[in-house]
């Protein structure tokens, strides 16, 4: 049996185990030892890159009708993500009242989502179309190799090394930016007199730059500091995903567990965000009770209270936080199950694309809960309409 360059030789009984399991449908299927057997052509069946089906790949994810529907969904999502986030960036950068630390953080969040709509989703659409037109044979560039010396035909670099890093990096940017937005709003609510001195434009821009750099370094860490991982297109999730390479027995159990650092990092930031939100809203609740007790609140001396706009912005950011946490939770569950050895083919598609769909949610949230943003959108399209030449 042939194996791709750089992959460890599989045990003799691996093929028998694969043959036994390959006809079993179903999510919850346990992967044979996290080391995927290769077929006679040397392609990686376990990662969905060969002419055969991916593990647990049944009619509901591999049938032609399902693929067509998936492509239609991806194309629609790409258009919605690009349009919504392009409008968001234009409104926040083009409106003077949004040129503040909060506005710059929201622009950073929108740019991360925009990169997903411009690069990640269209690449999946293109790959699926090529895959269907080739009769189910995997394109050569869909295969992945280690970034530190495991080289195959055509060199070590593959498009997934860019697309997969962009998706992972933008996910980390989104999480860190949501945390920074929450921290900025907490300063405005808990210490309104110190807000302008603590949260400055220069500090905000420097923090945004650090968050982008840290996010992409974290995303690239498994490829840069280990030969045990690759990024390649997965037939189940329809995305470029991290994949552990088959390893000798001493390394095999421990290497994939490194991927658990990703959900651990993400949920640490999300947990911190929820704690900060809880502190901010407890302060808002106390202020609301004081206003109810005092008939004429302005006539009584007391500590400064957060403004109505600060409270409204805090509520909007809390909605953004909960929406992202809800969309990221399936990915965390999938990563934990995958590291444990379970092949959840159908679930992986929904998990990754629920997260990708979150990239168009923030525009909807701003449009519903932020009156100033709605006004900015109306002004944007109003100016564009006035700029059109009148027909005779």
């Amino acid at each position: 049996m042939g194996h791709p360059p750089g992959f460890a030789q599989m045990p003799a009984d691996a093929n028998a185990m694969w043959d036994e399991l390959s006809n079993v449908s179903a999510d919850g299927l346990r992967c044979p030892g996290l080391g995927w057997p290769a077929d006679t052509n040397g392609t990686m069946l376990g990662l969905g890159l060969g002419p055969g089906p991916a593990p647990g790949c049944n009619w509901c994810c591999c049938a032609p009708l399902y693929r067509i529907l998936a492509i239609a969904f991806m194309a629609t999502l790409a258009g919605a993500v690009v349009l919504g986030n392009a409008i968001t960036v234009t409104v926040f950068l083009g409106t003077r009242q949004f040129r503040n630390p909060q506005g710059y953080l929201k622009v950073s969040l929108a740019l991360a989502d925009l990169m997903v709509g411009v690069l990640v989703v269209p690449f999946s659409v293109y790959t699926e179309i090529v895959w269907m037109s080739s009769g189910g044979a995997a394109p050569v560039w869909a295969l992945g190799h280690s970034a530190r010396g495991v080289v195959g035909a055509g060199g070590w670099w593959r498009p997934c090394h860019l697309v997969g890093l962009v998706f992972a990096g933008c996910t980390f940017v989104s999480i860190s930016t949501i945390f920074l937005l929450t921290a900025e709003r907490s300063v405005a609510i808990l210490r309104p007199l110190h807000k302008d001195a603590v949260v400055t434009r220069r500090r905000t821009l420097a923090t945004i730059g650090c968050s982008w750099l840290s996010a992409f370094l974290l995303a690239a860490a498994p490829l840069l500091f280990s030969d045990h991982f690759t990024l390649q297109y997965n037939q189940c999730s329809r995305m470029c995903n991290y994949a552990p390479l088959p390893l000798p027995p001493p390394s095999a159990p421990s290497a994939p567990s490194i991927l658990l650092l990703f959900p651990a990092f993400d949920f640490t930031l999300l947990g911190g965000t929820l704690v900060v939100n809880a502190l901010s809203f407890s302060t808002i609740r106390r202020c609301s009770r004081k206003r109810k007790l005092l008939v004429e609140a302005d006539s009584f001396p007391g500590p400064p209270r957060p403004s109505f706009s600060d409270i409204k912005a805090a509520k909007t950011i809390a909605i953004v936080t909960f929406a992202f946490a809800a969309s990221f939770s399936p990915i965390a569950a999938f990563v934990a199950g995958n590291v444990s050895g379970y092949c959840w083919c159908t679930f992986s598609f929904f998990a990754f694309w629920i997260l990708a769909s979150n990239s168009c949610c923030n525009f909807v949230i701003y449009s519903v809960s932020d009156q100033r943003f709605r006004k900015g959108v109306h002004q944007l399209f109003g100016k564009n309409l006035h700029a059109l030449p009148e027909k005779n």
Side-chain angles (χ1 to χ4, degrees), residues 3 6-10 34-37 44 47 228 243-248 252:
H3 292 269
F7 288 83
Q9 184 75 18
M10 295 300 298
L34 288 174
W36 296 108
M44 294 292 291
L47 293 169
H228 301 160
L245 301 179
L247 301 171

Side-chain angles (χ1 to χ4, degrees), residues 34 38 52 73 77 141 149 155 163 176 202 224 242 271 290 320 330 359:
L34 288 174
F73 163 73
L77 178 63
W141 42 261
V163 177
S176 59
R202 179 177 297 180
L224 296 177
Y242 292 94
K290 289 180 180 179
V320 171
S359 297

Side-chain angles (χ1 to χ4, degrees), residues 5-6 144-152 155-158 161 220-231 245 258:
H145 299 283
S146 169
R148 296 185 64 203
V150 180
V151 182
W156 64 265
W157 191 85
R158 293 290 185 269
H161 285 142
L223 301 181
L224 296 177
F225 302 110
S226 174
D227 291 327
H228 301 160
F229 294 95
T230 185
L231 276 165
L245 301 179
I258 299 175

